[in-house]
Amino acid sequence: MDERRMVRISKYLAKHLRHQPERIGITLDANGWVEVDTLLTAAAAHGFPVSRAELERVVADNDKRRYVIDGDRIRASQGHSVAVDLDLPAAEPPAFLYHGTVARNMTAIRAEGLQPMNRHHVHLSPDRETATRVGARRGVPVVLVVDAAAMRAAGHEFRLSANGVWLADHVPPSFLRFP
Ligand code: HQG
């Protein structure tokens, strides 16, 4: 399978496992899972046939390990806009986490901190390089440092997704260090 096909399948999975399952007539369970067979049948019925081998390859080789297959089921590890409970345990973050954004968001972020926007959580990266890549999706990246240790001390919880993204409900501006 070439790289373009891999990316196309990954984007198709993101759309339907994170945002619009109803578009192909599937329903995610409370924790975001759907049967692999159900997904493949629905995709084929909606004009996007994917073989099981292709699906398994995309899940295994995905650059960010965005999807997990567990037995007969598949889900996205994070990034949802539909209501799912990923049921991730709270975890102890490193002292500092990083968030990549762009200059046009900074006025609002200075005022109200980091908000989940269209997703369920604020997404934080364990290192500056990853945060730089996240910000660069939208323009010239601006990397903010999050004082995760101080947030923990103040009672905020963090969760770690299966693919290494740190999730928080909100980051108040007092815990952000601006460049
Ligand atoms: C910004 C990708 C105004 C925030 C990436 C970001 C990541 C605010 C945008 C994952 C704000 C939301 C998530 C506020 C935050 N006012 N703007 N108060 N608070 N923002 O895409 O973190 O490829 O929902 O800085 O690699 O960019 O999908 O979040 O610019 O891991 O797997 O609002 O998505 O992964 O954008 O990216 P997003 P994100 P995938």
Side-chain angles (χ1 to χ4, degrees):
M1 188 174 18
D2 67 17
E3 182 63 23
R4 277 187 55 201
R5 172 88 177 145
M6 297 261 287
V7 170
R8 248 192 109 207
I9 294 172
S10 179
K11 285 184 186 290
Y12 190 88
L13 294 177
K15 182 166 200 157
H16 300 105
L17 297 180
R18 289 172 167 178
H19 306 300
Q20 292 183 280
E22 72 286 353
R23 199 172 161 272
I24 55 170
I26 61 171
T27 307
L28 308 183
D29 77 7
N31 306 122
W33 299 100
V34 63
E35 298 282 320
V36 170
D37 286 345
T38 304
L39 171 68
L40 294 180
T41 303
H46 288 79
F48 193 75
V50 176
S51 73
R52 194 167 179 120
E54 283 180 314
L55 184 75
E56 284 174 1
R57 174 88 194 284
V58 168
V59 171
D61 290 1
N62 190 261
D63 58 344
K64 283 181 64 185
R65 294 178 289 124
R66 291 179 178 86
Y67 315 102
V68 176
I69 291 178
D70 172 37
D72 299 335
R73 314 177 299 170
I74 183 169
R75 79 172 179 184
S77 293
Q78 37 70 223
H80 300 79
S81 57
V82 294
V84 299
D85 176 3
L86 292 175
D87 211 17
L88 300 171
E92 284 308 316
F96 296 103
L97 290 166
Y98 302 85
H99 179 83
T101 188
V102 283
R104 65 176 177 276
N105 295 333
M106 290 307 296
T107 306
I109 291 173
R110 281 178 196 277
E112 62 193 44
L114 295 172
Q115 300 284 357
M117 310 307 281
N118 291 329
R119 308 197 196 233
H120 285 279
H121 300 96
V122 176
H123 287 224
L124 302 171
S125 305
D127 57 77
R128 198 175 269 282
E129 294 66 40
T130 307
T132 302
R133 278 199 300 278
V134 172
R137 288 151 55 236
R138 301 178 190 284
V140 179
V142 176
V143 174
L144 309 180
V145 180
V146 175
D147 190 343
M151 279 183 70
R152 280 296 297 131
H156 292 268
E157 287 199 331
F158 290 83
R159 284 157 215 286
L160 179 59
S161 76
N163 61 338
V165 178
W166 285 90
L167 306 171
D169 292 337
H170 170 222
V171 180
S174 55
F175 298 110
L176 290 171
R177 295 188 189 166
F178 299 96

